[in-house]
Amino acid sequence: MMGYLHKSVSFLLFFVIFKITIVENIKNKSFLYVKTYYFSEYQNNKHLFPFRQKNNNSNKYPSYLTDKNNQIFNNISLNKKTYDETYEIICNELELLKKENSDNISHIQTFLGFIEKYYHEIKKHNSCSPEIFLKLFLKYIETFKKYRYYSFHNVHKYDESLYEWSLEFWLPLIDQKNSRFLGTNNIKKINNWIEQGHNVFIFSNHHIEADANIIKYYFHINNAENISRNMVFIGGHKIRVDPLSRPFTVSANILCIYSKKYIEYPPHLKEEKILFNHKSLNALKNMLSLGKTIIWVAPSGGRDRKSQDNEIQISPFDPKIIKTFNIFAKRSNVKTHFVGMALNTYNICPPPNTIDIDEIEKERSCSYSPVGLNLGDDIFDIYPQMGENEITYKIYDYVNDLYKKI
């Protein structure tokens, strides 16, 4: 009995100290690089995807595909090539990359496997031209080189030169005819809220590494490029340290936070990671106090996996995450909306069924498949009398309802 009492008192003392530490950290001065919601100014581009336009001139490409300063692009002819020829060029470039990056050989080898699957899928479905296939992957290689040793700050501003590419890269794998993009009427509501200076949290399930790109694409094609460019995604550990994911990660605005399963590993970095998270939470507090902030987060803390009966179920949401954000929203003194979103993107780039916190995935797969996205309403409007202890469960049930429709 005394042992149990001793453990209880110790835990309570730790919790109080931890809470005081967080509160004191939150009171710190704002980060200089978190000054405003708007990460960029942009111009609407109605013809972002040239290979999707009718009567397209195949010799015309988006700006990122015709960069005159890009050495790789300049060394390769843009003349019409077959799928096999472009695939061979990409593989040769990756073999050269291996020689330049001896510390990333295993990751590059993994990516070669991914490219092979990508190549077979687009060739089978004729979902993009060989030239576009070539340029998409040469841009990936260029970005891999540029960011291979990049260290993420607490808040990462997206690389504007990668905006179009980040939307186009996954498009050849999407069966657009059978995809379902629902809830588009709620985009106007979000735009109106932002114009009024409000904040928006989008609580969503999470399927694949490319979800941020799919979400940006959803808003972009629905005339909401301001949301697509300025939304901030809360990103965890692997999308930052994985060399293969990094080119896609840097193309989005990221608020970097270690999820609880990575805090403990490795043990000697635990305190450093906790301090990093405190700074990220402080940055979030600063953004919310300014208003006009849109934050996307997966409250489950990770990607959904298939169950033993081969069904993809939405992972449970962590009440502590949603409670923390609710507290921050109230302290900001800015009207904040909690919006639900459901994603069904699993098949175009499925995650492994096992979770290994100390290893980066050694195999990447992909397939041509429909995707689904359903943007919901403000949970506070749906349940105006909802108590604080009910928020997590109401949001989780609501996202599940949205998911069933896609």
Side-chain angles (χ1 to χ4, degrees):
M1 181 69 180
M2 290 299 295
Y4 175 79
L5 181 61
H6 176 73
K7 289 181 179 179
S8 300
V9 172
S10 299
F11 176 78
L12 180 61
L13 181 61
F14 169 80
F15 178 78
V16 171
I17 294 173
F18 182 71
K19 185 174 181 181
I20 292 173
T21 302
I22 291 179
V23 172
E24 289 302 315
N25 187 272
I26 290 172
K27 292 178 181 178
N28 287 342
K29 187 177 180 181
S30 302
F31 287 95
L32 294 178
Y33 51 81
V34 188
K35 292 183 178 179
T36 175
Y37 162 83
Y38 292 101
F39 283 86
S40 70
E41 295 295 331
Y42 69 93
Q43 295 180 346
N44 283 322
N45 184 353
K46 295 181 180 179
H47 302 290
L48 178 60
F49 308 117
F51 58 89
R52 296 294 181 185
Q53 305 298 325
K54 294 181 179 180
N55 302 321
N56 172 54
N57 182 346
S58 61
N59 291 323
K60 293 183 178 180
Y61 300 94
S63 58
Y64 76 87
L65 297 181
T66 55
D67 185 355
K68 294 181 180 179
N69 296 319
N70 188 287
Q71 187 174 2
I72 298 178
F73 293 175
N74 292 334
N75 290 340
I76 297 174
S77 171
L78 292 179
N79 293 333
K80 195 167 186 178
K81 298 181 183 298
T82 66
Y83 284 112
D84 294 345
E85 288 173 329
T86 55
Y87 175 63
E88 183 180 359
I89 291 171
I90 295 168
C91 290
N92 289 339
E93 289 294 331
L94 285 171
E95 290 299 330
L96 290 174
L97 192 62
K98 282 184 185 179
K99 297 178 181 179
E100 300 171 5
N101 297 266
S102 58
D103 54 337
N104 281 318
I105 289 178
S106 62
H107 301 305
I108 297 170
Q109 192 62 41
T110 297
F111 195 62
L112 276 165
F114 173 80
I115 290 174
E116 182 181 6
K117 294 180 176 68
Y118 191 109
Y119 153 70
H120 286 302
E121 289 297 304
I122 65 167
K123 184 178 180 181
K124 177 181 177 180
H125 297 280
N126 193 29
S127 54
C128 78
S129 69
E131 291 85 1
I132 292 294
F133 169 52
L134 174 63
K135 289 304 181 179
L136 288 173
F137 277 88
L138 291 183
K139 184 64 177 179
Y140 176 92
I141 294 172
E142 177 203 351
T143 308
F144 180 94
K145 289 181 177 180
K146 180 179 178 181
Y147 286 102
R148 58 188 163 185
Y149 301 121
Y150 178 69
S151 178
F152 283 85
H153 299 289
N154 297 87
V155 178
H156 166 78
K157 176 187 178 297
Y158 82 108
D159 185 334
E160 294 187 37
S161 69
L162 298 176
Y163 178 75
E164 295 179 18
W165 170 79
S166 71
L167 302 187
E168 281 207 25
F169 186 91
W170 298 98
L171 202 58
L173 292 174
I174 297 176
D175 176 0
Q176 294 194 42
K177 182 179 179 181
N178 295 303
S179 293
R180 305 194 71 185
F181 284 172
L182 307 179
T184 54
N185 57 307
N186 289 321
I187 295 176
K188 186 176 181 180
K189 293 181 182 179
I190 293 178
N191 267 324
N192 289 337
W193 292 334
I194 294 302
E195 288 176 2
Q196 296 173 55
H198 299 181
N199 295 318
V200 178
F201 275 100
I202 297 179
F203 294 99
S204 169
N205 68 311
H206 181 24
H207 273 183
I208 64 174
E209 293 168 310
D211 278 344
N213 305 97
I214 305 299
I215 293 168
K216 290 194 300 178
Y217 174 66
Y218 169 85
F219 284 105
H220 182 93
I221 63 173
N222 285 291
N223 301 313
E225 189 175 338
N226 61 316
I227 296 177
S228 178
R229 286 183 178 269
N230 291 297
M231 181 183 296
V232 180
F233 296 86
I234 293 185
H237 171 69
K238 284 193 174 181
I239 63 169
R240 292 180 279 135
V241 300
D242 184 349
L244 301 183
S245 299
R246 199 173 291 140
F248 305 112
T249 305
V250 296
S251 68
N253 300 311
I254 303 292
L255 176 65
C256 304
I257 297 179
Y258 289 97
S259 64
K260 61 182 181 181
K261 63 186 175 186
Y262 290 105
I263 287 287
E264 303 286 342
Y265 185 89
H268 69 278
L269 294 179
K270 180 178 178 179
E271 290 187 11
E272 180 181 326
K273 290 180 178 180
I274 290 175
L275 179 59
F276 185 92
N277 277 3
H278 287 175
K279 291 180 179 178
S280 293
L281 292 175
N282 190 41
L284 174 60
K285 179 249 185 183
N286 295 335
M287 286 190 282
L288 294 175
S289 67
L290 292 169
K292 295 188 174 184
T293 297
I294 304 178
I295 301 287
W296 178 92
V297 60
S300 63
R303 289 169 287 176
D304 302 331
R305 261 53 176 206
K306 282 187 176 180
S307 61
Q308 292 182 346
D309 57 0
N310 214 34
E311 293 292 326
I312 305 170
Q313 298 178 342
I314 296 179
S315 301
F317 290 174
D318 186 344
K320 293 180 182 178
I321 293 176
I322 296 178
K323 184 177 181 180
T324 298
F325 292 159
N326 189 38
I327 292 172
F328 275 44
K330 289 182 176 181
R331 290 181 181 177
S332 71
N333 293 319
V334 176
K335 175 72 174 178
T336 302
H337 305 268
F338 280 15
V339 172
M341 173 186 283
L343 293 169
N344 185 6
T345 56
Y346 190 95
N347 289 327
I348 67 170
C349 187
N353 283 328
T354 58
I355 301 175
D356 194 341
I357 64 171
D358 62 340
E359 287 191 11
I360 294 172
E361 293 155 25
K362 293 183 172 61
E363 184 177 351
R364 295 296 209 286
S365 182
C366 64
S367 63
Y368 182 81
S369 175
V371 298
L373 191 154
N374 194 357
L375 179 65
D377 213 327
D378 186 347
I379 196 73
F380 294 121
D381 290 338
I382 300 173
Y383 301 104
Q385 304 301 321
M386 175 177 57
E388 289 192 5
N389 293 331
E390 299 179 276
I391 296 177
T392 298
Y393 309 106
K394 292 292 188 184
I395 291 178
Y396 180 75
D397 289 343
Y398 182 48
V399 171
N400 270 278
D401 289 340
L402 294 172
Y403 185 73
K404 292 174 184 177
K405 297 175 182 178
I406 53 175

